[in-house]
Amino acid sequence: HAPASGTHLSKLSTMAAIVQPTFTIPVDSENKAMSLNIFSFNFPHHASFHMSWIGFFVSFVSTFAAAPMVAIIREDLELTKPNLGDAGLAAVTGTIIARVIMGSVCDLVGPRYGLSIVLLLSAPFCFCMSYVTDAAGFLICRLGIGLGFSTFVACQFWMSCMFNGKCVGIANATAAGWGNLGGGVTQFLMPVIYKGMVAGTEGRIYTAWRWAYIVPGLMHTIAGVAVMFLGQDLPDGNYKLLHTSGQLEKKSAFQTQMLGCSNYRMWCMVATYGFCFGVELTMNNIVASYLYDQFELDLVTAGVLASCYGLMNLFARSLGGLASDYASVKFGMRGRLWTLWLCQTLEGVLCIMMGLSKDSLGITILTMVLFSICVQASEGASYGIVPFLTRRSLGVVSGYIGAGGNAGATVNMALFFTSPDIKTYDGIMYMGFLIIGVTLLVIPIHFPMWGSMFFPGDPSQTEESYYIDREFSEEEIKEGLAVPVQKFCNNCRNERAPQHRPVEEESKA
């Protein structure tokens, strides 16, 4: 053979470095972390974990920054209830398309670029809020800021790439839960910033709320830069390097879209996720003003009590992911599906109870907190299932399901919280009934090899037939494009019923 060129040798050495990275924590055959340690900043797994939740957290803070200051903003801009409802709709609706697009971005160029660029692009809308003078300007700025919500898709895709199936539920849930925590933090953070700005402007309250928006804008900018330079797309490296070295398939956007959209399980979860995450978005929009108006509280008190709803994200979403992972150990994928249905149905019941508690502040707060815990747990349980819906089109599926959350918020806001003819407490009650009904769509989600809520899987069906034969052509398999997916198949056999698992998996369960 002719001697290899220097360029060829350089490429081989680069591939070798990527194929055999070294890690200081236990990893599986895909180099995914086998456990989550929230106190670790180990690179790349846990550094990326922290970058993902921080980026999502910042987008939550800015998107709902208006909610606790709405009493002042509506006086300044002379906003009506329909104006406020439309702006709230814009904040959670505009990102529906952005989330779908983000799914393809993650599949094609990686979650790090997706998360960073969206944060940097939505930052100017935070700064521009200082110049708003009417309802139209307020709506446009909230729409632009809301685009930052697409960071959720990158967050969940990133965690699914970094953590093994045995802990992916808790990893996804904790990253998203801590991100969602921004919705609670902003309920008391923005009133505090606002009060500081009032002092700084010598009592000019209509200037103070505008200045307060500078803080979320700065948070977007700092977080966007940090994600770009402190995170890594995959355990083996960043997308650009892996594409160049041939270690990662260069996917077709059209092909991944078609694969994702042809999977009916995705559409079931688009709907169900709309009534857990979508409900959370709805409550973040309305709960502070509801407590302010219904119980005649002052702005800061209403904001602090309203923050209790979002603050449950500190642990509740992780509980849902943990419950999903535990149910998987005991019962396989069927356990994950039952966990989701139970959490979300209870969420609907507690939502109805909160609406009925309109005459008592104490009971309203108690049911609101319990309702919130179930909402977050349902979200965590949802993303214990999502990583297993598809392998090749994971970004697309994550994008559509994330968009479903925003679509659910749009439906709830439009149906129950924009019309002056529907009292807010009645809207909350009606929303609860809708939650219970839509959650029934968990029942038809069936995996041939693992089963569904009421029907067991077929032992003759394999993970390979679902993830490889269904998603790759024979030519693509011969080219070796399915090799990384084979590792995934090997690592997720514990989603089978215990009696059908390989001996080593069964002994661990």
Side-chain angles (χ1 to χ4, degrees), residues 120-394:
L120 295 174
L121 287 178
S122 50
F125 289 96
C126 296
F127 296 123
C128 286
M129 191 65 92
S130 300
Y131 301 100
V132 168
T133 57
D134 56 21
F138 182 65
L139 184 147
I140 291 170
C141 283
R142 289 211 67 189
L143 174 67
I145 294 169
L147 296 177
F149 257 163
S150 59
T151 54
F152 168 77
V153 177
C155 168
Q156 298 295 270
F157 180 91
W158 210 351
M159 294 303 92
S160 297
C161 293
M162 285 290 180
F163 292 91
N164 172 269
K166 293 180 181 178
C167 63
V168 72
I170 185 68
N172 265 335
T174 305
W178 288 6
N180 284 19
L181 195 61
V185 170
T186 198
Q187 300 286 350
F188 66 81
L189 177 65
M190 292 310 294
V192 170
I193 294 172
Y194 165 75
K195 289 186 73 174
M197 295 300 180
V198 169
T201 58
E202 300 178 346
R204 289 177 291 167
I205 59 174
Y206 294 159
T207 301
W209 76 261
R210 299 166 186 276
W211 284 22
Y213 259 98
I214 295 173
V215 176
L218 291 173
M219 292 171 69
H220 270 246
T221 306
I222 294 168
V225 173
V227 167
M228 182 71 76
F229 292 102
L230 300 180
Q232 180 172 292
D233 288 317
L234 297 172
D236 295 333
N238 287 321
Y239 266 46
K240 184 176 181 180
L241 180 63
L242 296 175
H243 280 150
T244 302
S245 65
Q247 295 298 300
L248 186 66
E249 174 195 3
K250 290 185 178 179
K251 298 178 180 177
S252 158
F254 177 76
Q255 186 179 31
T256 53
Q257 282 282 339
M258 292 303 294
L259 272 175
C261 292
S262 63
N263 190 331
Y264 83 90
R265 301 164 193 82
M266 181 191 82
W267 296 110
C268 290
M269 293 209 63
V270 165
T272 60
Y273 196 66
F275 287 87
C276 52
F277 185 62
V279 168
E280 179 180 2
L281 298 183
T282 303
M283 293 300 292
N284 282 338
N285 261 325
I286 67 158
V287 71
S289 58
Y290 172 61
L291 296 176
Y292 179 86
D293 294 331
Q294 181 70 16
F295 300 102
E296 299 179 351
L297 304 176
D298 63 80
L299 195 65
V300 174
T301 303
V304 170
L305 291 176
S307 72
C308 293
Y309 192 91
L311 289 176
M312 295 305 103
N313 274 295
L314 187 61
F315 67 91
R317 187 159 183 159
S318 297
L319 283 181
L322 196 62
S324 181
D325 288 342
Y326 178 79
S328 169
V329 170
K330 295 298 181 183
F331 307 105
M333 177 55 67
R334 298 180 72 189
R336 292 189 188 272
L337 293 168
W338 272 103
T339 300
L340 173 57
W341 181 81
L342 288 169
C343 286
Q344 197 155 315
T345 300
L346 183 57
E347 167 200 326
V349 172
L350 289 166
C351 182
I352 294 169
M353 291 176 63
M354 179 182 171
L356 294 173
S357 305
K358 64 183 186 297
D359 297 322
S360 168
L361 177 61
I363 297 175
T364 293
I365 298 302
L366 175 62
T367 53
M368 181 187 77
V369 168
L370 295 174
F371 166 37
S372 176
I373 290 172
C374 289
V375 169
Q376 329 302 347
S378 299
E379 295 164 6
S382 294
Y383 272 81
I385 297 168
V386 170
F388 300 100
L389 295 179
T390 177
R391 178 60 181 166
R392 201 177 193 187
S393 300
L394 178 59

Side-chain angles (χ1 to χ4, degrees), residues 444-506:
I445 297 176
H446 183 91
F447 293 86
M449 63 289 192
W450 299 331
S452 54
M453 282 177 60
F454 293 106
F455 298 99
D458 182 351
S460 67
Q461 294 290 321
T462 65
E463 288 75 11
E464 286 80 0
S465 62
Y466 182 79
Y467 291 111
I468 296 179
D469 298 344
R470 179 178 160 273
E471 298 190 347
F472 292 85
S473 67
E474 289 186 12
E475 291 75 17
E476 289 172 330
I477 294 172
K478 289 177 182 177
E479 290 173 16
L481 298 181
V483 171
V485 181
Q486 180 62 61
K487 294 179 181 179
F488 177 78
C489 292
N490 296 338
N491 290 324
C492 68
R493 300 196 198 282
N494 58 318
E495 296 300 323
R496 299 177 182 179
Q499 65 271 25
H500 297 307
R501 294 174 188 168
V503 176
E504 63 273 15
E505 294 293 349
E506 192 174 351

